């Protein structure tokens, strides 16, 4: 009889965990910059200003089923920047809270600007403020911006944003 109760307790815990699991689905999008197009900005500061001023907008939209009481899901933001096929930067920033729905994402949530800045400054390890005015390195940039759940309890995925642009 004791074994039956233990078995029932284990099965209940297993099925309760499955029912309470969170499921997410969504995507990250970019507006204002055509994929494969050429940017008009000449420096990293100008590119940063274009994002800040809303010329280029990063949007994040997701829905969540069986979300916790407040609906908050923690996401890690992952950034990959390549210049002419060579990876310049791969980084992750952890634990950003987001509510389900459609949201604007500030450029500071990702490491896109520091990655592009490093490309123009010969991959220096310590960047200084005066390096922000150096010209953007010429070539083809490929960028991947990802929102990945920071919790293993959250199932599903967010479609990453993949885009490219040229600097002439």
């Amino acid at each position: 009889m004791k074994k039956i109760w233990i078995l029932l307790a284990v099965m209940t815990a297993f099925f309760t965990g499955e029912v309470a699991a969170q499921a997410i689905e969504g995507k990250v999008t970019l507006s204002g910059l055509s994929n494969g197009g050429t940017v008009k900005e000449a420096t990293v500061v100008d590119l940063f200003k274009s994002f800040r001023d809303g010329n280029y907008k990063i949007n994040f939209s997701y829905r969540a089923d069986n979300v916790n009481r407040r609906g908050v899901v923690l996401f890690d933001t992952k950034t990959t920047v390549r210049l002419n096929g060579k990876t310049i930067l791969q980084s992750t920033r952890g634990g950003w809270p987001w509510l389900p729905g459609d949201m604007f994402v500030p450029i500071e949530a990702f490491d896109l600007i520091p990655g592009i800045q490093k490309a123009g400054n010969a991959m220096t390890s310590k960047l200084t403020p005066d390096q922000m005015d150096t010209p953007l390195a010429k070539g083809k940039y490929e960028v991947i911006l990802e929102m990945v759940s920071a919790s293993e309890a959250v199932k599903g995925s967010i479609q990453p944003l993949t885009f490219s642009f040229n600097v002439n």
Side-chain angles (χ1 to χ4, degrees):
M1 186 65 143
K2 187 177 182 181
K3 288 182 183 180
I4 292 174
W5 284 110
I6 292 173
L7 180 62
L8 286 173
V10 170
M11 288 177 58
T12 302
F14 177 76
F15 287 116
T16 302
E18 286 298 309
V19 170
Q22 296 179 20
I24 58 171
E25 183 181 316
K27 63 183 175 179
V28 182
T29 60
L30 175 69
S31 60
L33 180 62
S34 62
N35 193 19
T38 301
V39 296
K40 64 181 187 288
E41 293 78 13
T43 67
V44 176
V45 167
D46 294 337
L47 186 62
F48 180 73
K49 281 184 67 184
S50 288
F51 274 98
R52 186 202 65 199
D53 293 345
N55 297 331
Y56 309 133
K57 293 181 185 176
I58 301 171
N59 295 295
F60 176 40
S61 175
Y62 82 99
R63 69 172 187 74
D65 297 325
N66 299 324
V67 158
N68 57 41
R69 192 175 68 111
R70 295 198 186 263
V72 175
V73 176
L74 294 178
F75 288 93
D76 295 340
T77 58
K78 295 185 176 190
T79 307
T80 302
V81 178
R82 294 185 185 105
L83 176 59
N84 298 324
K86 180 181 177 187
T87 299
I88 301 299
L89 174 90
Q90 281 189 307
S91 70
T92 301
R93 291 185 178 192
W96 289 74
W98 295 94
L99 293 168
D102 297 325
M103 295 152 279
F104 163 77
V105 180
I107 190 63
E108 296 88 352
F110 295 97
D111 287 327
L112 175 60
I113 299 300
I116 292 171
Q117 184 179 9
K118 283 183 180 184
N121 289 293
M123 300 292 291
T124 55
S125 60
K126 191 134 188 161
L127 299 169
T128 61
D130 61 323
Q131 291 172 318
M132 291 290 286
D133 279 329
T134 58
L136 292 170
K138 295 186 183 322
K140 180 180 180 179
Y141 288 85
E142 299 169 78
V143 178
I144 302 170
L145 304 179
E146 300 174 82
M147 301 288 277
V148 179
S149 169
S151 170
E152 290 182 19
V154 177
K155 306 297 179 202
S157 65
I158 303 298
Q159 181 182 342
L161 169 61
T162 301
F163 67 98
S164 64
F165 61 91
N166 297 300
V167 174
N168 296 328

